[in-house]
Each structure stands twice: as structure tokens, then as C-alpha cells.
């Protein structure tokens, strides 16, 4: 999966001055998998932010390793080994190996910006992005 987020010059400066994280949350329509809510505080109770998700990719924009989590029982997110590459310059690019996800199912995701565990903005503009493995 490849994700590219373009920022305005003002947006790039704002991101560089604070400890933001990019959150990509994925679910698999029709798949019977454990699912949990978005793990951010102060999240608006509107679709699709109130959906339930199976995978959560967290990318610290100030550096640090990106992480992949999988929903498990009892509303817990379990870290999962993953092959994630991140580039941040004129834009943010995130590449995640399809094999780290559920490759047999179509994927739907949302993209959020958070700071210190608190929701800031829905970068996917309150819509679901649907993908299928090539």
C-alpha cells in the first residue's frame, strides 16, 4: 500500500513545529476479524471516524519508527512486525507491504492526524478510501 499526502507550505511548517502522528486505520469489508475503534481521544462521533478497524499504522512525523498494530481481543492493539518506509520532504510518503495486511480482502481505510494521542484532523476528509491489492 502506498500513501502520499501533499501539504501546503504553511502545513509543512506547522507539522515541523509540533509532535504530530499520521494514523492510517484499515478495515476489511466482509472479513470476520477483530475490530476496534480509533485509538485517539476527542474523536468526533461521525462516520467514518466512528467505524471499527482491524489495522492501525502510526507514523510519527517528527521521526521515530512507524508502527503497525492489529486489533486483538479485549479492545487491545497488538504491535505487528511490518515493512514500512516513510519519506517526509515536500510531501509525506508511506509505503507498507501488502503482505503485512490482509491481502486476500479488499481494504478500506481512513487517514487522520493526531497529536499526543488526541485527534486533530481527518486528512481523508471524512471519507473512506477503498483499495484492492494489485
Amino acid at each position: 500500500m502506498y500513501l502520499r499526502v501533499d501539504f501546503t507550505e504553511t502545513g509543512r511548517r506547522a507539522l515541523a513545529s509540533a509532535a504530530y502522528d499520521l494514523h492510517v486505520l484499515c478495515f476489511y469489508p466482509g472479513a470476520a476479524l477483530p475490530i476496534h475503534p480509533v485509538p485517539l481521544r476527542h474523536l468526533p462521533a461521525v462516520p467514518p471516524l466512528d467505524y471499527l478497524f482491524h489495522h492501525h499504522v502510526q507514523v510519527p512525523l517528527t521521526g521515530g519508527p512507524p508502527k503497525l498494530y492489529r486489533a486483538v481481543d479485549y479492545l487491545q492493539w497488538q504491535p505487528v512486525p511490518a515493512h514500512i518506509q516513510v519519506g517526509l520532504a515536500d510531501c509525506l510518503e508511506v509505503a507498507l507491504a501488502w503482505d503485512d495486511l490482509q491481502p486476500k480482502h479488499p481494504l478500506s481505510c481512513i487517514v487522520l492526524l493526531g497529536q499526543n494521542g488526541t485527534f486533530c484532523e481527518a486528512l481523508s476528509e471524512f471519507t473512506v478510501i477503498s483499495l484492492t491489492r494489485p
Side-chain angles (χ1 to χ4, degrees), residues 21 28 31 40 48 51 56-57 59 71 75 84 87 103 107 110:
D21 291 334
Y28 305 88
L40 294 173
Y51 289 8
H56 171 206
V57 179
V59 180
L75 294 178
I84 305 172
L107 166 114
I110 60 172

Side-chain angles (χ1 to χ4, degrees), residues 63-77:
K67 297 177 183 135
L68 175 64
Y69 299 93
R70 177 181 56 223
V72 293
D73 294 335
Y74 307 109
L75 294 178
Q76 298 292 313
W77 290 98

Side-chain angles (χ1 to χ4, degrees), residues 21 25 34 39-43 48 52 61 64 75 81-85 94 97 103 110 125 127 130-132:
D21 291 334
L25 291 114
L40 294 173
R41 295 182 304 275
H42 306 298
L43 192 72
L52 302 174
L61 299 182
L75 294 178
H83 303 88
I84 305 172
Q85 295 180 339
V94 179
I110 60 172
E125 299 182 0
T127 61
S130 297
L131 304 168
T132 54

Side-chain angles (χ1 to χ4, degrees), residues 71-132:
V72 293
D73 294 335
Y74 307 109
L75 294 178
Q76 298 292 313
W77 290 98
Q78 177 183 54
V80 177
H83 303 88
I84 305 172
Q85 295 180 339
V86 176
L88 180 59
D90 293 335
C91 64
L92 172 66
E93 297 174 287
V94 179
L96 173 63
W98 279 105
D99 289 340
D100 292 338
L101 301 171
Q102 297 292 327
K104 296 177 183 167
H105 300 284
L107 166 114
S108 295
C109 63
I110 60 172
V111 183
L112 309 176
L113 197 61
Q115 185 177 33
N116 300 319
T118 301
F119 171 79
C120 293
E121 185 176 351
L123 298 181
S124 53
E125 299 182 0
F126 298 101
T127 61
V128 172
I129 301 166
S130 297
L131 304 168
T132 54

